[in-house]
Structure formats: C-alpha cells, structure tokens
Amino acid sequence: MMDRYTKLQMVGIYACVAVFLTFILLPFFEMFMASLRPLEHLFRSPYQFWSDDFSFDAYKQMWVTVPLLGRYIFNSIYISFMVTGLTMIFVVPAAYAYARLQFPFKNLSLGIFLGVNMFTGAVLLIPLYRVLRTMGLLNTYWAMIVPGVAFLIPTGIWLLRSYLEKIPRELEEAAFVDGASRLYTLRRVVLPLATPGLIVVGVAVFIGAYAQQFLFAITFNQTRELQPLPAGLYEFIGYQSVTWNEMMAAALVGVLPVMVIFLFLQKYLVAGLTAGAVKE
Amino acid sequence: MATLDLNAISKSFGSAKVLHDISLAIKDKEFVVFVGPSGCGKSTLLRIIAGLEEASSGQIVIGGDDVSDAHPVDRGISMVFQSYALYPHLSVYENIAFPLRVQKMDAAEMDSRVQKAAAILQLTDKLQLKPGQLSGGQRQRVAIGRSIVRNPKVFLFDEPLSNLDAALRGDMRVELSQLHRDLDATMVYVTHDQVEAMTMADRIVVLNGGRVEQFGSPMELYHHPATKFVASFIGQPNMNLIPATVIGADATGVSVELDGGHRMALPVAAGTVKAGDKVEVGIRPEHVEVSSKGLEISVNVLERLGGVSITYGVIGDGTRFCASLPGDAVIEEGRNLTLSVAPENCHVFDANGDVLRRQAAPEMVA
Ligand SMILES: Nc1ncnc2c1ncn2[C@@H]1O[C@H](COP(=O)(O)OP(=O)(O)OP(=O)(O)O)[C@@H](O)[C@H]1O
Ligand SMILES: [Mg+2]
C-alpha cells in the first residue's frame, strides 16, 4: 500500500503540482491570450486579463505580415530533424563503445565531452564562424546543422551510455557464444531493447536542436529562405511597431508540431526515464 | 568424441590470481559438476572453457583439438547462463532459433530443429509467447532449448537452477539428468549446491580458492574425501571435525585422544604422523548411534524431521557436534547423550588438512 495517501496529503500534492504547472504554463497561456487580442489592446492600462475582444485575426494576418513564415517553420523542423538524425548516427555507436568496450583514455575522453558541454555555443561563435567559413558552409543549412550536431553529441552519448549500461551484459555474452558478431548483436539484441532509451535521447536531442538553432541561425546564416522560425520571428519587429500578437501566434503555431510529436511519444518517454529502475 | 581437457589453466584479474594451475581430463559424455563456495572461481573457469574469458596461461583441448584461442562457436560449446539471458523482445521460438539465425540456416531445417528442441523441453505450445510470460522453470527450459539446437559437443551450465524455488529445482534436476541421457553429450555444470552436485554428477570437481581440491565420483568424495575441505563440503549435515592428538601410530592404524578425553583406535594409513601430532577426526552425523558408552554430547537443539532427528550439541571441550539419529530416538534438548561411532567410519586429517586414507572403507572405482 505504498500509494495510499490521506486526503490532506493528496490536497498538498495537487497544490504543489498546481504551483509548478502555473509557473511553467502561465507564459504559454499569456502568449495565447496575447495572440488573440488586437495589437492596440495589448498595452492598455490597467491590464486586463480577460476581455471580450478575442479573435483569431492574428493567426490569419501573420502569414501576410511575414510571407515566408511557413518556410521558417519548415526550416526549423527540417534543421532539427537533420540534427537529430545525424547526432543519433554518431551517438549510437559511440555510446555503445563507452558502455561496453575498454579502450585507452575512455574516462578521460568522456570527461572532455562533458567539459565541452559546459561551454555554450556562444563562447565558441567566433572560432566556429571561421571554421564554417573555411569549409564554405556559411549561409547554408549546414551552417546551422553541423554546429548543432557537434554540440549535442556529448549530451547524447552521456544519456544513451547510461541507458545501454543497464542492458544485462549476459544477453550479449549469450549472443556472442552463439556466434553473433558485435554488429549483429547490436542490431538484433541491444538496439531493440534500448528503443525507449533511443526515443528519450532522440527527443532530448530534438529539443536541444530546436532551442539552439536561433544562435547559429543569426550568426552563420544571412539567407532569408533558410532561416528557422526563431530567427524569422524577428520580421514581426517592424520599423514603427512590433506586431506582438502575430508574433505570439506564429511562435505558438511553430511549436505545435513539436508538441504533437511529444504527445505521441509521451508513453515511451515516461517508460524510458524510469526503465531499469527496478529489476523485473 | 567430445573429451574436454584443461591443461594448467591459470587466470589472474590484475594482480589477483583467481585460478591456479587447473588441470582436468573430462571424458566423452560425462556429466561433470564444478562445486565450491562462492568466489572460488567456478564461473571464471566455466567462462574460460566457453571462450568468454581468456586464460592467463594454459590450454583448452576439446575433442582432441586445441581450442584455446578459438571462438565459442568453433569450440563446439554452448552455454546456459544463471540469469537465463533470454532476449525479452523475441518470442520463445525466436529465442531458440537465435543461434541458427546467426548461422543463416535455411528456414525448413531451422524450423525442424526448433520444433524438435521444443518437443524435448515441452515448450511446443509456448513458442509464440515472450519470455516475460513464462514461469521460471519454463524460461530455464527456453535457455536450454537455445543451447541444444546448435548440437554442440559440450554443454556448459552456470548455476542454471539457482533462481528457482526448491520444489522446481528438484524437478529440473531430474529433467537435466534425463536430458543428459537423451542427448548423450558432455556436460559441465557449475553449482554451489552440493545436493545438485551429488545427485547429477558422474564426477565432481571440488574447487576451493581457485584450486582443485578433489576430482572424483560422488561416492568417492563421500567415502574418501582427500582433504578436510572436501569432507566438510560434501555430505548433509556437514561432517563433524573434532581436534585430537595422536597417541600412537603403526601399520594397523592411528590411536587418538579427542580433545575432551575420549580415546579411539582408527584404521587409517598412518603415513608420516607420529605420537604427539595434532590431527582432526572427522565423523559424519549419519555414522553415529545412541549407545551406552562413547562420546558424551550435551544436546542444545533437536530437529525432528520425521524419518531422522538431527541433534545439535557440544562435546566435552565445547566442540560442536551434530548427529543424525533415527526419527524415534529418545532424545531431549538440554540433556546429555552418549553416542558411539564405528572406528572404520572415522576420517583423520593431518595438520595440513590432508586425509590419512581409510583402510576399511569401500574401495571406489572411478
Ligand atoms: N571481471 C573480473 N574482474 C576482477 N575480478 C573478478 C572478475 N570476475 C571474477 N573475479 C574474481 O574472481 C573470483 C572468482 O569469481 P567467480 O565468479 O568465478 O566465482 P564463483 O565461484 O562463480 O562464485 P559464485 O558461486 O558466487 O558465482 C572472485 O574472487 C571474483 O571477485
Ligand atoms: Mg558464479
């Protein structure tokens, strides 16, 4: 009866959850409210939380104000998917090696990965700029994908390695005794068992890619057609006024695809984050 | 022909030496059990035979071929792990078929082999289930099924029954002995349970601290334990060991005085022991009987099991003594009891723990 709580405890638990949720969700709610109001009503004082002038006009108008908005949303998702895919291609074998193989400088190199992770991309922008220029990648999708991949590989390795370590070694030994090669074992045994972990890491990388593309986009890319949404949102800042309501609407529409993906993967996420915690 | 010879196998992990110069000659179709206390190196030795671990030195010969550097499959072995090591995402069928899929065997042949293994192990109606839906005993059978489809020359088992409850363990013991007869294969079986060792083995290897204490048939180990360690490891309840002093030794045997004062003349080969040496006398609990004169013990605990009554007590100087007496013996806790033992049933161990060979005990043909 571990999950029996008294009424009072239940009230307490829900109260805490409510406080946390308020903190996290209030900005989104306010974004949504702002997107529903005409621009000139946004700044009236006293501030009105609720009013009767709601409309979805901003959601129509934003495509006109920023004609490339659809393109920006597509770019955002495209860049994030490319970053996620490429990162996983590097992370899976690397994490497996760190989880299972012995090689010189294993712990040192892992430590270095973690160390690199502590630099934000911002401190490395100038050297990165020079590297990308030398390779001729400025103003292409690759200018935003390559640094994204580079900065997410360490996180991915750390996350996936700890997941792979939880898969019993005996399963691999059994496969080895039966004549399976490492790659065959990885494909038939390890990766299927690591699916929840792969999804967790994939989602974490995707979110990371989504969040960091802004910085790379404004520094390494001048081509309008290639900008991702966070950079594209700047176009709502006009010479005279900022169309805040349309900007909020566009931001919400932009994160919508990500939210949908989340809803679908939610059950894996919960399973993945707690998997291996108890022995079956 | 699948003989298995180990020649001077040693193994160190870093500076810790866990196996010392182990040499064994295992015959074709023999069921050999490695037994010993936890940490004595049983699993390590088995894993070296399997090819999962590399020996620091020594040679492994299977069926006459030196396989010391060969891949497990080329050694012709298969292994059943303590945790079963079933693939949880694959069905029972796919688990059993796994080694054959690795070989890219053609579908018809594979199916017939899997079906045959499933029939032997009574898993035919479970083939489509996942391991998670099976009971412990069934999972164990799937693991065995996976090991037999490849028709290996030598089967290796690492404590396959230790995760099962006592009743099921008894059943599986019988099934494994049956399987050994049906498959006619060489089997090496690791356990720390001496009952499993005694009941299933053709011959037992007793390991202690990475060394072979004795290699012989169960009855040989029971009647002629080579060392004190083997004597106290084999037999249930454990053999009593009573410190004693030699008071005379000649061709007919050794006379001793047990600590506590009781004197006995024991028919064992005296070897190099002489009067005044410290020895230990080993007496099996089942070899004593209630008598009017002999060893005095004061009974502390009495366990009546029906057929037998196990009596725990101490003799004169405080050495613990256990006796296995008939179920209806008149005994009471807290009372004294006089026990006698036939001298030819006593074992004598010298100061190094090595046995003085008994002259009167049944000769064993290995
Ligand atoms: N990979 C390893 N690295 C270092 N030491 C090891 C390793 N594997 C085993 N050992 C050591 O070798 C010794 C023998 O271990 P082993 O697993 O063979 O014991 P065992 O007889 O199988 O014991 P148990 O009955 O508990 O399974 C132990 O002292 C153990 O600590
Ligand atoms: Mg072991």
Side-chain angles (χ1 to χ4, degrees), chain A residues 96 172 175-176 178-187, chain B residues 71 102:
Chain A
Y96 181 74
E172 285 171 65
F176 175 69
D178 287 333
S181 66
R182 277 227 181 257
L183 278 180
Y184 186 89
T185 311
L186 191 65
R187 192 162 55 80
Chain B
H71 187 280
V102 173

Side-chain angles (χ1 to χ4, degrees), chain A residues 37-72:
Chain A
R37 289 187 178 128
L39 188 59
E40 53 276 18
H41 286 187
L42 278 178
F43 300 102
R44 66 191 158 187
S45 83
Y47 180 78
Q48 273 185 315
F49 198 72
W50 192 262
S51 51
D52 50 10
D53 49 5
F54 295 146
S55 79
F56 281 98
D57 285 347
Y59 288 84
K60 280 179 228 130
Q61 194 56 38
M62 64 183 184
W63 306 101
V64 181
T65 317
V66 179
L68 281 176
L69 185 59
R71 180 75 200 240
Y72 297 151

Side-chain angles (χ1 to χ4, degrees), chain B residues 38-44 47 82 158-159 190 192:
Chain B
S38 195
C40 68
K42 307 179 294 285
S43 299
T44 308
R47 290 166 57 85
Q82 176 172 356
D158 191 358
E159 310 212 19
V190 163
H192 57 251

Side-chain angles (χ1 to χ4, degrees), chain A residues 121-164:
Chain A
V123 260
L124 297 173
L125 279 184
I126 293 170
L128 266 177
Y129 186 89
R130 300 193 53 165
V131 171
L132 291 171
R133 193 183 52 192
T134 314
M135 300 198 301
L137 295 180
L138 290 179
N139 304 323
T140 65
Y141 277 129
W142 294 108
M144 292 166 278
I145 292 171
V146 172
V149 172
F151 280 100
L152 287 165
I153 284 176
T155 327
I157 290 178
W158 273 85
L159 282 177
L160 193 59
R161 179 190 72 116
S162 57
Y163 196 89
L164 292 179

Side-chain angles (χ1 to χ4, degrees), chain B residues 327-339:
Chain B
D328 53 3
V330 186
I331 327 166
E332 260 180 74
E333 290 180 5
R335 298 285 285 276
N336 280 12
L337 185 66
T338 309
L339 298 171

Side-chain angles (χ1 to χ4, degrees), chain B residues 105-135:
Chain B
M105 179 178 282
D106 73 72
E109 167 76 6
M110 184 181 78
D111 190 61
S112 89
R113 289 224 207 166
V114 173
Q115 295 296 349
K116 192 171 145 221
I120 293 175
L121 297 161
Q122 297 154 34
L123 288 168
T124 308
D125 54 341
K126 303 278 187 293
L127 284 174
Q128 298 316 317
L129 300 182
K130 293 275 168 68
Q133 297 164 288
L134 301 179
S135 71

